[in-house]
């Protein structure tokens, strides 16, 4: 046998998945469970569940510098630090160094990333909400962007499928604008949150519920329940929250069909002009810089919205001179995120004799209530709130008159109840919000870098008025004192829900992917991360990426069997 | 500190203060200083500054020195502050050290316990009443560092406050007596 042919055979699989984050983990699980021999490529290092969570059990007195990072180290993370909470002693190893992974900003864009096995599934906030029927119909109704090529009913069974496995806790409400998930028991609201809930029901006919979260309130599928430590972003010793590392990747490995290859940067997809389809991917070894080609019948791009877009733009062929599948010219356009960091907080007199036990890994949620039946606000779409109440801790003693033993006594009693909430609002797709490649500015692996040209527009700014004022109004109605509003959008991207750059649609002339997440003109390439999103809705999106990934992977397995790919 | 204008001063105070306490909640062992009992060999502070820091931390929270809080304070100033913040801190500390000599005739560390308490109480009251508008209040920065070091030490978190490593469940509205003290972590 010819040596080249042999090498090619050794590097050939049924399927390739690029990326091991929330969406890639699901693609890997479903493809391997369908019996497909699957190569899973991840640009970062391996992270084994539990073994590779170095800080998960550290107690406050074991954490240096009160969890802060010295300036010489911080200078490598200047963009990652824009969140205000990402770069800590206990979590810094999960984030990219901006000095190694540069990008450019025509306008400020906060691109918050983690490159390692598990991706951002390790550090995510775990808030999990279905999109609603109205969300899939909104673009068509408003004449914005393009219509989704599917409807809620197409995705609903797949939401159920992923929820049953992932373990989502929450309260069933039967709301049309926020369909229920297949829930584990909900977390509890606390005393003050119950007050707000009652006020909202009585005075505003609005709903407040406990946050729906991928933190498990009971053991589930072989994973332990959450022990209320609220230290999830360090990794969980019990597997108490959904991550690829704790959930989907072990399931994929258990089939015996997965080959996981860390340190493998996918540079581009190989397109065969004669066959008219993709045959594999080019991979740069992150440690040796060597390039290798891997081949498969079907390729899943799950490198996260922007990285999937980068790979597609970097996949140039005679057929696709402007990037794989970019006949429409929409690749890289219609960047969306959620806009947030607007809302209110306040203080409450009362419940001095009440407190709580444990550290709850979620807060409350107020489902969207604006523009539901009628569009009666000066903007399109809507927003939901996330918030929480708690009692002030020992920190309040700094600005008190007491010192010495009286200071100790003072802080031994908790302070007032306070409550705050921020809205998460829908951002409309807009062709002018885009990301593109700078081929002259490469990173240390020789990869082109991304340039962001994205901004919030009029609809978002108009919506923020309601987002701010409604929050203050509801807190005041619930009897809160000293209610203060805040409004600081930061850059797009700060919601860490970036999406939309290879949107799904019915027409190949105006969209990149079809209703099965296949590239219109290259059907054996599927994209099921945030890039596929046609509109953003206002719900946290990752549960939807899970459902898309599972649905598409099962579609791909069937199509392969039928010989259609 | 007198040299910077008021607006700038407020900005810097916010940077100094904000970073330290209100932090919401590589690989292998993390290197760096935590507040833990044991001897302290100052590396940044002079012996006079170290004696001041020890005496003041103990006045703000009795027992702080035993828990290693002065070493923790020095490590924050030395390793976590920017150069500019570090200079501001040292200048302000020296100013307060001198002020005590002028007002009491003695180094703070040499005063008896009652006199230390009285001096620190006045400084604390002035700083609290000055509020944010008056720019950086060195005393509150020192107080905050002392409190952070103390309440994140094992003794402070578990003996003075209530710490539960693995709560197991969340209950949202229970009698305060069932917990008894402020939670050390949120
Ligand atoms: C702090 C934080 C809080 C969040 N909270 C929530 C929340 O509450 N609810 C919610 O729904 N979402 C939340 N998110 C967003 C959520 O994490 C993302 O939507 C989700 O992780 C996206 O999944 P993904 O698979 O597309 O990408 P990721 O999880 O980012 O994974 C992508 C993977 O691909 C790898 N990769 C990238 N480029 C390449 C390449 N060229 N070759 C090979 N591999 C590559 C990366 O290293 C990474 O491992 C949060 C995110 C953060 C950071
Ligand atoms: S809060 Fe729960 S899920 Fe999160 S790390 Fe702790 S025990 Fe695990």
């Amino acid at each position: 046998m010819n040596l080249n042919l042999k090498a090619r055979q050794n590097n050939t699989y049924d399927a390739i998945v690029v990326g091991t984050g929330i969406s890639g983990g699901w693609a890997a699980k479903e493809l391997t469970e369908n019996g497909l021999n699957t190569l899973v490529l991840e640009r970062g290092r391996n992270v084994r569940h539990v073994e590779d969570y170095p800080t998960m059990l550290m107690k406050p007195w074991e954490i240096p510098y009160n969890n802060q990072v010295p300036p010489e180290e911080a200078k490598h993370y200047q963009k990652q630090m824009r969140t205000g909470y990402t770069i800590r002693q206990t979590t810094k190893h999960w984030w990219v160094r901006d000095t190694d992974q540069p990008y450019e900003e025509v306008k400020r864009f906060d691109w918050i990333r983690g490159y390692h096995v598990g991706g951002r599934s390790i550090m995510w906030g775990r808030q999990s909400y279905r999109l609603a029927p109205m969300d899939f119909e909104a673009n068509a109704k408003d004449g914005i962007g393009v219509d989704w090529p599917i409807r809620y009913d197409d995705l609903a069974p797949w939401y159920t499928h992923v929820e049953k496995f992932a373990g989502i806790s929450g309260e069933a409400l039967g709301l049309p604008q926020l369909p229920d998930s297949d829930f584990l028991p909900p977390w509890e609201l606390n005393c003050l949150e119950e007050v707000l809930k009652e006020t909202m029901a009585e005075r505003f006919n609005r709903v407040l519920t406990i946050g729906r979260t991928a933190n498990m309130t009971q053991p589930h599928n072989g994973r332990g329940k959450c022990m209320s430590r609220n230290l999830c972003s360090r990794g969980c010793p019990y597997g108490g929250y959904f991550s690829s590392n704790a959930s989907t990747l072990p399931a994929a490995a258990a089939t015996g069909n997965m080959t996981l290859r860390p340190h493998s940067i996918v540079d581009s997809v190989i397109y065969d002009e004669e066959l008219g389809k993709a045959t594999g991917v080019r991979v740069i070894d992150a440690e040796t810089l060597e390039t290798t080609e891997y081949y498969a019948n079907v390729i899943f791009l799950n490198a996260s919205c922007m990285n999937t877009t980068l790979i597609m733009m970097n996949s140039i062929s005679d057929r696709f001179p402007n990037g794989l599948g970019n006949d429409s010219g929409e690749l890289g356009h219609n960047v969306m995120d959620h806009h947030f960091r607007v809302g209110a907080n306040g203080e409450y007199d009362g419940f001095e004799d009440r407190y709580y036990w444990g550290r709850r890994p979620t807060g409350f949620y107020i489902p969207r209530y604006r523009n539901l039946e009628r569009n009666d606000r000066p903007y399109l779409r809507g927003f939901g709130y996330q918030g929480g109440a708690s009692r002030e801790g020992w920190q309040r003693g700094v600005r008190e008159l007491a010192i010495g033993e009286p200071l100790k006594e003072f802080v031994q009693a908790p302070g007032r109840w306070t409550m705050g909430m921020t809205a998460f609002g829908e951002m409309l797709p807009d062709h002018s919000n885009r990301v593109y490649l700078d081929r002259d500015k490469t990173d240390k692996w020789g990869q082109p870098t991304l340039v962001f040209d994205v901004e919030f527009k009029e609809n978002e700014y108009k919506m923020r008025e309601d987002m701010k004022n409604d929050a203050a109004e509801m807190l005041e109605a619930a009897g809160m004192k000293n209610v203060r509003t805040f409004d600081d959008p930061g850059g797009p991207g700060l919601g860490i829900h970036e999406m939309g750059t290879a949107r799904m649609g019915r027409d190949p002339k105006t969209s990149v992917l079809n209703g099965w997440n296949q590239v219109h003109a290259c059907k054996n390439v599927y994209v099921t991360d945030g890039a596929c999103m046609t509109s953003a809705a206002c719900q946290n999106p990752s549960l939807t990426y899970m459902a898309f990934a599972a649905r598409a992977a099962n579609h791909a397995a069937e199509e392969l069997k039928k010989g259609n790919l | 500190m007198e040299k910077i204008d008021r607006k700038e001063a407020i900005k810097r105070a916010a940077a100094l203060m904000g970073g330290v306490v209100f932090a919401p909640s590589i690989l292998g062992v993390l290197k760096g200083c935590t507040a833990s009992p044991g001897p302290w060999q100052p590396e940044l502070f002079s012996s006079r500054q170290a004696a001041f820091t020890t005496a003041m931390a103990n006045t703000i929270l009795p027992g702080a020195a035993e828990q290693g809080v002065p070493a923790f304070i020095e490590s924050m100033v030395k390793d976590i502050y920017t150069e500019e913040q570090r200079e501001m801190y040292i200048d302000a500390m020296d100013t307060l050290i001198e002020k005590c000599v002028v007002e009491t005739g003695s180094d703070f560390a040499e005063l008896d316990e009652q006199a230390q308490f009285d001096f620190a109480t006045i400084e604390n009251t002035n700083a609290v009443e000055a509020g944010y508008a008056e720019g950086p209040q060195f005393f509150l920065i020192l107080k905050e560092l002392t409190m952070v070091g103390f309440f994140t030490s094992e003794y402070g978190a578990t003996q003075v406050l209530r710490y539960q490593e693995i709560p197991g469940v969340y209950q949202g509205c229970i009698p305060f007596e069932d917990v008894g003290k402020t939670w050390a972590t949120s």
Side-chain angles (χ1 to χ4, degrees):
Chain A
M1 189 194 287
N2 165 320
L3 268 180
N4 269 339
L5 198 65
K6 188 147 187 235
R8 192 173 170 122
Q9 271 176 1
N10 283 343
N11 284 359
T12 299
Y13 297 81
D14 296 330
I16 289 174
V17 176
V18 181
T20 57
I22 291 185
S23 66
W26 269 102
K29 174 181 177 298
E30 300 293 313
L31 292 168
T32 54
E33 287 182 348
N34 271 288
L36 300 184
N37 185 17
T38 305
L39 175 67
V40 179
L41 297 167
E42 166 54 52
R43 69 171 298 153
R45 68 180 186 279
N46 196 14
V47 174
R48 290 160 301 174
H49 180 46
V50 183
E51 280 157 83
D52 293 326
Y53 304 151
T55 58
M56 67 182 180
L57 293 174
M58 287 178 83
K59 301 174 186 66
W61 48 93
E62 296 167 343
I63 301 165
Y65 303 125
N66 188 35
N67 219 357
Q68 289 176 270
V69 174
E72 313 83 73
E73 228 178 319
K75 70 171 189 263
H76 293 291
Y77 297 97
Q78 286 305 301
K79 291 177 180 174
Q80 302 308 301
M81 288 178 80
R82 290 176 185 174
T83 60
Y85 58 80
T86 32
I87 306 303
R88 302 267 167 232
Q89 292 286 350
T90 44
T91 53
K92 61 189 179 187
H93 45 287
W94 299 137
W95 306 97
V96 300
R97 284 157 59 105
D98 293 304
T99 43
D100 290 339
Q101 312 280 356
Y103 65 90
E104 289 158 61
E105 302 163 279
V106 176
K107 305 188 185 85
R108 175 178 165 183
F109 190 91
D110 304 333
W111 190 21
I112 313 297
R113 304 161 281 163
Y115 294 166
H116 44 253
V117 167
R120 290 176 293 185
S121 77
I122 297 177
M123 314 86 93
W124 72 310
R126 309 165 307 284
Q127 292 293 305
S128 300
Y129 302 92
R130 290 190 182 193
L131 265 55
M134 63 182 285
D135 296 317
F136 290 95
E137 291 155 17
N139 276 5
K141 186 173 139 247
D142 300 333
I144 294 287
V146 297
D147 186 15
W148 281 91
I150 64 160
R151 286 295 178 259
Y152 175 74
D153 289 343
D154 296 309
L155 205 54
W158 295 101
Y159 274 128
T160 307
H161 179 82
V162 297
E163 287 157 0
K164 281 196 162 133
F165 182 78
I168 311 292
S169 60
E171 178 194 18
L173 297 167
L175 298 173
Q177 74 273 35
L178 192 75
D180 296 325
S181 290
D182 193 288
F183 287 127
L184 299 180
W187 294 87
E188 280 184 21
L189 294 172
N190 65 38
C191 327
L192 186 54
E193 293 163 351
E194 290 283 0
V195 171
L196 181 62
K197 177 181 172 167
E198 276 162 40
T199 310
M200 287 181 41
E202 282 164 21
R203 298 270 308 273
F204 300 93
N205 196 23
R206 292 175 192 163
V207 176
L208 181 150
T209 188
I210 187 67
R212 299 174 173 180
T213 176
N215 287 82
M216 308 193 312
T217 43
Q218 60 191 34
H220 185 67
N221 285 339
R223 291 155 45 208
K225 75 163 191 158
C226 168
M227 301 302 275
S228 303
R229 311 178 320 139
N230 198 20
L231 300 177
C232 305
S233 53
R234 303 190 201 168
C236 182
Y238 316 101
Y241 73 95
F242 174 87
S243 66
S244 300
N245 314 64
S247 316
T248 44
L249 293 177
T255 63
N257 293 329
M258 176 172 76
T259 305
L260 174 64
R261 200 176 188 286
H263 300 296
S264 303
I265 304 173
V266 173
D267 162 87
S268 51
V269 175
I270 305 163
Y271 182 77
D272 188 309
E273 311 273 346
E274 267 160 46
L275 296 174
K277 62 180 183 180
T279 51
V281 293
R282 267 175 224 100
V283 169
I284 304 168
D285 187 301
E287 293 174 314
T288 65
L289 297 185
E290 226 172 284
T291 303
T292 314
E293 295 188 349
Y294 293 94
Y295 309 97
N297 295 326
V298 61
I299 294 157
F300 270 69
L301 296 180
N302 296 94
S304 77
C305 175
M306 296 304 168
N307 283 309
T308 288
T309 306
L310 189 158
I311 293 168
M312 292 174 80
M313 288 177 165
N314 204 30
S315 304
I316 299 299
S317 56
D318 287 345
R319 169 67 184 83
F320 295 114
N322 301 318
L324 180 75
N326 193 17
D327 293 341
S328 63
E330 293 295 335
L331 185 66
H333 290 269
N334 310 299
V335 173
M336 294 173 280
D337 183 24
H338 290 124
H339 61 109
F340 74 131
R341 305 216 306 181
V342 55
N345 49 47
E347 298 158 358
Y348 190 80
D349 295 330
F351 294 126
E352 283 90 0
D353 57 347
R354 309 300 285 177
Y355 210 16
Y356 36 78
W357 181 276
R359 301 184 288 277
R360 189 183 56 188
T362 184
F364 66 69
Y365 190 72
I366 298 175
R368 175 173 161 186
Y369 52 84
R370 290 292 189 200
N371 291 336
L372 292 181
E373 271 105 59
R374 286 181 311 287
N375 207 124
D376 53 6
R377 307 304 298 170
Y379 51 85
L380 296 173
R381 317 288 165 93
F383 51 87
Y385 286 101
Q386 296 178 27
S390 59
R391 293 190 74 165
E392 291 174 316
W394 55 266
Q395 292 85 348
R396 81 194 208 285
V398 173
R399 295 199 165 266
E400 284 295 327
L401 293 178
I403 62 162
E405 290 298 340
L407 176 60
K408 276 191 206 166
E409 271 163 49
F410 178 81
V411 300
Q412 280 176 329
R416 262 174 316 205
W417 286 86
T418 63
M419 177 148 61
M421 55 175 157
T422 175
F424 280 75
E426 178 160 356
M427 177 176 176
L428 295 178
D430 190 301
H431 183 80
S432 70
N433 280 332
R434 66 164 189 150
V435 58
Y436 54 94
L437 289 191
D438 184 340
R439 294 188 180 275
D440 299 326
K441 195 165 178 189
T442 52
D443 68 11
K444 66 182 195 191
W445 296 275
Q447 290 269 289
T449 51
L450 287 177
V451 186
F452 289 88
D453 186 357
V454 183
E455 63 183 11
F456 295 126
K457 308 229 184 234
E458 202 188 341
N459 198 65
E460 286 83 56
Y461 285 112
K462 277 188 186 157
M463 188 188 294
R464 291 179 80 81
E465 285 301 305
D466 268 6
M467 292 159 88
K468 181 174 69 187
N469 296 334
D470 287 5
E473 187 186 27
M474 292 187 285
L475 289 180
E476 265 162 10
M480 308 287 298
K481 307 268 157 61
N482 298 326
V483 172
R484 282 176 298 260
T485 57
F486 54 89
D487 179 356
D488 169 19
L494 203 49
I496 326 186
H497 297 159
E498 68 282 2
M499 57 173 92
T501 42
R503 69 181 174 199
M504 296 168 77
R506 298 171 192 275
D507 185 351
K509 289 199 201 70
T510 54
S511 61
V512 182
L513 307 173
N514 70 14
W516 292 103
N517 296 73
Q518 296 169 287
V519 172
H520 279 299
C522 184
K523 296 237 167 11
N524 68 335
V525 176
Y526 288 75
V527 175
T528 67
D529 58 24
C532 78
M533 298 291 279
T534 309
S535 71
C538 65
Q539 298 88 319
N540 306 58
S542 304
L543 184 69
T544 299
Y545 307 165
M546 296 189 209
F548 272 129
R551 178 175 177 265
N554 283 280
H555 180 261
E558 271 169 40
E559 291 289 286
L560 277 176
K561 264 182 229 146
K562 290 188 207 151
N564 287 349
L565 294 181
Chain B
M1 259 184 204
E2 294 77 18
K3 278 165 263 151
I4 47 182
D5 74 56
R6 249 172 66 97
K7 222 163 135 200
E8 183 59 13
I10 293 166
K11 239 170 64 195
R12 291 194 201 171
L16 268 177
M17 298 288 297
V20 186
V21 152
F22 300 103
S25 73
I26 87 176
L27 296 173
V29 188
L30 302 179
K31 293 182 199 74
C33 193
T34 64
S36 52
W40 173 36
Q41 257 92 48
E43 289 171 35
L44 172 69
F45 292 172
S46 67
S47 55
R48 192 179 182 206
Q49 290 165 337
F52 166 82
T53 303
T54 303
M56 193 54 99
N58 252 346
T59 306
I60 293 169
L61 285 171
E66 203 185 321
Q67 300 309 321
V69 171
F72 169 79
I73 294 174
E74 186 194 43
S75 81
M76 292 294 284
V77 176
K78 179 169 144 295
D79 300 332
I80 297 296
Y81 281 13
T82 61
E83 199 179 326
E84 192 191 6
Q85 290 171 325
R86 187 156 50 243
E87 278 167 19
M88 282 172 58
Y89 185 96
I90 302 274
D91 277 359
M93 173 162 63
D94 287 341
T95 306
L96 191 58
I97 290 173
E98 288 309 328
K99 185 177 176 194
C100 183
V101 176
V102 170
E103 287 183 8
T104 69
S106 162
D107 259 20
F108 184 77
E110 308 297 320
L111 294 173
D112 67 31
E113 241 176 67
Q114 186 61 46
Q116 284 177 337
F117 185 81
D118 293 343
F119 180 81
T121 298
I122 292 169
E123 284 304 311
N124 183 50
T125 304
N126 289 342
V128 169
E129 282 173 359
Y132 296 94
E134 305 262 325
Q137 296 297 324
F138 171 75
F139 191 86
L140 295 187
I141 293 165
L142 175 55
K143 185 180 181 188
E144 181 172 17
L145 285 170
T146 303
M147 291 178 71
V148 169
F150 188 75
F151 292 119
T152 60
S153 75
E154 182 166 9
Y155 174 83
T158 65
Q159 305 300 305
V160 182
L161 302 174
R162 179 86 197 255
Y163 177 72
Q164 192 76 29
E165 187 186 0
I166 303 171
V169 292
Y170 178 81
Q171 291 171 297
C173 199
I174 59 174
F176 173 65
E177 303 91 76
D178 292 359
V179 180
K181 287 177 192 168
T182 304
W183 289 115
T185 52
S186 53

